[in-house]
Amino acid sequence: QVQLVESGGGLVQAGGSLRLSCAASGSITSINAMGWYRQAPGKQRELVATITRSGSTNYSDSVKGRFTISRDNTKNTVYLQMNSLKPEDTADYYCNANLLTTNYYAMTAWGKGTLVTVSS
């Protein structure tokens, strides 16, 4: 009933930029917080950034000053602008949303991920 679809991943050289997008669709009444997580091979999934409905943001120390999270509430879409990319940013990036469905069920939804590869 709810689907999150990420896009924008790809291959980029160190120092370059990418912009990820994630669109939520389905039986949604409202979305509270949205965020981005990432997982590199052999590592656990980690928080990258989150943003609330009102626009409050939170970032992992490793991406502060380089990444910017934003959202368009009219489109139920969250973005992640990634600048000054480093090889250690290479990972599968997953979109996350804490939302309320049309039947007022509170749930957390995840996208299937988009791969970001940063070469040195």
Side-chain angles (χ1 to χ4, degrees):
Q1 71 280 26
V2 176
Q3 186 176 27
L4 272 58
V5 180
E6 304 99 333
S7 62
L11 175 64
V12 66
Q13 214 172 16
S17 299
L18 282 175
R19 184 175 186 250
L20 306 183
S21 298
C22 172
S25 62
S27 304
I28 301 169
T29 293
S30 63
I31 301 177
N32 293 315
M34 301 188 81
W36 289 94
Y37 292 72
R38 66 186 182 186
Q39 186 169 25
K43 297 185 65 178
Q44 302 211 324
R45 188 171 299 186
E46 64 177 355
L47 172 71
V48 176
T50 60
I51 184 168
T52 67
R53 175 68 171 76
S54 60
S56 295
T57 59
N58 179 243
Y59 296 91
S60 166
D61 287 340
S62 64
V63 306
K64 283 182 179 178
R66 300 188 298 120
F67 292 10
T68 301
I69 189 170
S70 61
R71 63 189 285 176
D72 185 338
N73 296 149
T74 66
K75 298 179 181 178
N76 285 155
T77 299
V78 63
Y79 307 93
L80 185 68
Q81 178 65 48
M82 305 184 293
N83 298 324
S84 302
L85 283 162
K86 305 174 181 179
E88 50 262 46
D89 294 320
T90 295
D92 237 295
Y93 284 70
Y94 298 88
C95 177
N96 165 272
N98 293 320
L99 54 84
L100 204 62
T101 66
T102 51
N103 56 3
Y104 295 92
Y105 173 69
M107 64 174 288
T108 297
W110 290 90
K112 290 181 172 60
T114 185
L115 180 63
V116 172
T117 303
V118 184
S119 63
S120 60

